[in-house]
Amino acid sequence: MNNNIILIIIFSGVMALIGTMLGALLGVVINRPSKKFLGNILGFASGLMLSIVVFELIPDSLEKTGIFGTLLFLILGIIIVVIIDRMSNLSSNVNSQYAKVAFMVAVGLMIHNFPEGLIMGFGFINGDSLGIKMSMIIAIHDVPEGLAVAAPLMLSGIKSKKILFYAFLTALPTAVGAWIGIYIGSISVEILGGALAFASGVMLYVVYGEMIPQSRKLWAGTTSTLGILFGMIVGLLMINVI
């Protein structure tokens, strides 16, 4: 695994970059994507992440570190991501120019993308297939994030090339998180189990605290709910096929 660390970091960064840049590109091309589109894609990504947590990460953690260790690190993951969430929202009430709003969104996403990289790193240490699954899911999850950065920048009149560059910067912390996740997870089986539980806590909070509520807020129709369920089905297939 040590010989492949650089490749894993590059792969993790590229996957995050694909999702973020695709979202930013959609924002540039579509200019104002519909709420229905955003709500459905967020719902789908939520279902994917839930499948991985419930059907793979938590069972693997239970096997490696037991019920008490799993609960301890899962709760720790939730606490840490709550703190990160609060920090990234400190300046969410900025009411000035759209460029300032975009800057605050980008800073928040960079903070948020670091634990996503940790999840990728933990996944690759636990097994290449899990790392690939996590990378694919996070890439899909990052599409709305790219859109979130691009939309206010488009409204402020920033050129398309600069918008894509700013979106690129928000994806970089994912590669750093992957590198740290690899080293943490390779120390021992017990620590790997705790790391998987920690990642589960992070993902559960992001899904239930941010993604699903935002999906329903953007589009409260039946399709967003079906998107969540379809995402869970696809995630279950990925777990058993990839």
Side-chain angles (χ1 to χ4, degrees):
M1 178 63 71
N2 288 334
N3 295 329
N4 296 323
I5 286 177
I6 294 178
L7 290 177
I8 291 172
I9 294 170
I10 293 174
F11 178 78
S12 302
V14 168
M15 291 301 292
L17 186 62
I18 288 173
T20 304
M21 295 301 289
L22 178 59
L25 187 60
L26 285 171
V28 170
V29 173
I30 300 173
N31 195 352
R32 292 186 179 181
S34 69
K35 291 184 177 181
K36 182 177 181 180
F37 174 79
L38 288 172
N40 290 340
I41 202 169
L42 270 175
F44 179 75
S46 301
L48 281 174
M49 293 177 73
L50 281 176
S51 280
I52 294 297
V53 170
V54 173
F55 299 123
E56 186 152 13
L57 293 186
I58 290 178
D60 283 348
S61 177
L62 287 170
E63 182 180 344
K64 290 177 171 61
T65 194
I67 180 64
F68 295 110
T70 298
L71 285 174
L72 174 64
F73 283 99
L74 188 146
I75 293 171
L76 180 62
I78 293 173
I79 292 172
I80 294 297
V81 79
V82 166
I83 294 172
I84 293 174
D85 187 36
R86 293 290 179 87
M87 290 174 61
S88 65
N89 286 331
L90 285 177
S91 301
S92 60
N93 293 323
V94 174
N95 293 317
S96 55
Q97 299 175 355
Y98 288 115
K100 278 189 176 181
V101 176
F103 173 75
M104 294 303 172
V105 170
V107 170
L109 291 178
M110 291 177 74
I111 295 173
H112 169 69
N113 284 341
F114 178 74
E116 287 186 350
L118 287 175
I119 293 169
M120 285 188 188
F122 297 155
F124 277 110
I125 284 295
N126 193 56
D128 291 339
S129 63
L130 180 58
I132 292 172
K133 293 170 195 171
M134 296 307 308
S135 300
M136 291 172 62
I137 289 170
I138 288 172
I140 294 172
H141 169 233
D142 284 347
V143 172
E145 295 186 354
L147 281 165
V149 174
L153 288 174
M154 287 295 297
L155 292 171
S156 65
I158 301 294
K159 292 182 179 180
S160 299
K161 289 182 179 179
K162 285 189 175 181
I163 292 174
L164 295 176
F165 175 70
Y166 294 145
F168 168 79
L169 291 179
T170 64
L172 291 182
T174 308
V176 178
W179 175 67
I180 294 175
I182 289 168
Y183 279 102
I184 293 175
S186 62
I187 297 174
S188 71
V189 173
E190 289 76 17
I191 290 180
L192 173 57
L196 293 174
F198 179 88
S200 298
V202 170
M203 293 174 69
L204 285 174
Y205 179 84
V206 170
V207 168
Y208 284 107
E210 298 179 13
M211 295 177 68
I212 291 179
Q214 187 64 24
S215 174
R216 299 296 297 172
K217 183 178 178 181
L218 287 167
W219 188 255
T222 305
T223 53
S224 64
T225 301
L226 292 176
I228 297 172
L229 297 174
F230 182 61
M232 293 192 70
I233 292 170
V234 172
L236 186 59
L237 287 173
M238 288 173 56
I239 292 169
N240 291 280
V241 173
I242 297 178

